[in-house]
Amino acid sequence: MIGYLQGVINPTLTEYFFVVVYFLTMAEKILIVEDEPSLQETLAYSLRKEGYNVETVGDGRAALDSARQLKPDLIVLDIMLPEMDGFEVARILRKEMTTAILMLTARDDEIDRVVGLEVGADDYLTKPFSMRELLARVKAQLRRTRLLREEMGNREASPGGHEILKFDNLAINLTRHEVLLNAEPLQLKPKEYELLLFFAEHKSQMLSREFILERVWGWDFIGDSRTVDVHIRWLRQKIEVDAATPLRIVTVRGGGYRFEG
Ligand code: CA
């Protein structure tokens, strides 16, 4: 026993080696797309220091190539880029993968497009921002990605290789981030999509507003649980036959919701 403990407390070089290899292979991959060398370097340095496996590129085309090859867990994406801008990069990648995208905007008038349907970034930061703020957002995104992966279930692959969740006449295409009702695509805002996906992955479970808020909006979201009610109202208008008497997302007495499928 004592020998065993000593082995644990005083690891040999071989043990150190395996621990390092373990962390290198387990580390979450982040792709940084930023053309300004000093910012690219600062971002890479800060994220590597946190233990992430970081790759950097400086233009939009290289971003597409790297994202397809690396399949990162998160992409930090600048908007103004040579070759192809961040809007276009995000629009293309959204159709190919579910990787979280954190966009870096330089102007307030870009924000509507960043969070809108066309781009649907998971989060954004407006320049200039602090590294502390960036790290908090990165952690929150990766945490949400991990939780979503853990909670995946109840899915099938379509002939095109797309992952689809089906609930009667409602289908969620996870590959394309698309929702079909009676085979017709629904126009959902990014948060409505995430909310529906969250419900789909917790079918028949009672979910409190606070739990939904934390899981779908993230722990660092500034707002209250009325945000959840508002989004559910919008979602009901799109997926229920009669939003006034919902059958899919039902209200549970005592402050929550349940997805019935
Ligand atoms: Ca730029």
Side-chain angles (χ1 to χ4, degrees):
M1 185 62 185
I2 289 166
Y4 171 76
L5 279 177
Q6 278 172 341
V8 172
I9 295 162
N10 302 310
T12 63
L13 274 179
T14 318
E15 281 165 336
Y16 267 127
F17 174 77
F18 281 112
V19 166
V20 168
V21 167
Y22 175 78
F23 279 106
L24 281 178
T25 49
M26 291 304 289
E28 283 158 310
K29 284 181 281 184
I30 301 178
L31 175 64
I32 297 172
V33 188
E34 170 60 65
D35 58 319
E36 194 192 309
S38 62
L39 182 55
Q40 191 197 81
E41 206 174 300
T42 312
L43 289 169
Y45 174 80
S46 306
L47 292 170
R48 282 190 185 119
K49 220 173 83 186
E50 292 294 308
Y52 298 117
N53 183 352
V54 177
E55 290 287 331
T56 56
V57 289
D59 72 71
R61 291 209 181 278
L64 287 185
D65 293 343
S66 289
R68 285 168 181 153
Q69 202 196 334
L70 288 171
K71 307 232 179 306
D73 299 288
L74 173 71
I75 302 173
V76 177
L77 180 61
D78 188 29
I79 290 178
M80 294 301 288
L81 292 167
E83 303 287 332
M84 183 188 286
D85 70 20
F87 290 127
E88 186 69 4
V89 172
R91 207 179 54 76
I92 294 170
L93 290 181
R94 268 281 172 260
K95 291 182 187 158
E96 298 180 16
M97 54 188 79
T98 51
T99 300
I101 299 178
L102 171 62
M103 293 197 89
L104 306 180
T105 72
R107 303 196 317 255
D108 285 346
D109 61 359
E110 290 168 338
I111 293 170
D112 283 349
R113 286 187 72 195
V114 166
V115 298
L117 264 181
E118 178 205 349
V119 176
D122 298 275
D123 201 357
Y124 67 89
L125 273 172
T126 307
K127 293 178 180 180
F129 51 84
S130 69
M131 282 303 131
R132 208 177 133 211
E133 201 180 348
L134 175 96
L135 288 176
R137 301 297 184 91
V138 164
K139 276 182 194 157
Q141 270 316 316
L142 289 173
R143 179 166 168 265
R144 285 193 31 230
T145 305
R146 266 196 311 272
L147 289 172
L148 277 178
R149 275 192 199 141
E150 282 166 19
E151 287 159 357
M152 297 270 180
N154 183 34
R155 60 195 52 208
E156 59 182 70
S158 75
H162 289 187
E163 278 191 292
I164 294 171
L165 294 178
K166 269 196 179 155
F167 303 94
D168 194 19
N169 60 347
L170 182 73
I172 308 171
N173 186 322
L174 301 165
T175 314
R176 291 176 59 90
H177 278 236
E178 191 177 58
V179 178
L180 301 172
L181 185 66
N182 297 317
E184 291 290 323
L186 289 180
Q187 297 288 307
L188 296 188
K189 294 186 184 117
K191 269 287 172 273
E192 291 171 351
Y193 172 83
E194 280 183 51
L195 184 61
L196 180 60
L197 186 57
F198 185 68
F199 273 124
E201 286 164 347
H202 294 83
K203 187 171 175 275
S204 307
Q205 290 178 37
M206 193 313 244
L207 305 169
S208 71
R209 287 178 179 82
E210 291 70 28
F211 184 66
I212 296 169
L213 192 69
E214 194 204 307
R215 294 298 189 91
V216 179
W217 275 264
W219 57 271
D220 57 346
F221 176 76
I222 301 160
D224 61 39
S225 55
R226 270 170 301 186
T227 307
V228 176
D229 299 335
V230 171
H231 279 78
I232 285 174
R233 197 166 69 229
W234 291 340
L235 201 49
R236 278 172 170 166
Q237 283 162 4
K238 294 176 183 175
I239 66 168
E240 300 280 359
V241 176
D242 175 11
T245 50
L247 301 173
R248 295 203 125 117
I249 302 174
V250 300
T251 305
V252 182
R253 280 178 64 138
Y257 295 97
R258 193 174 59 235
F259 181 65
E260 301 287 12

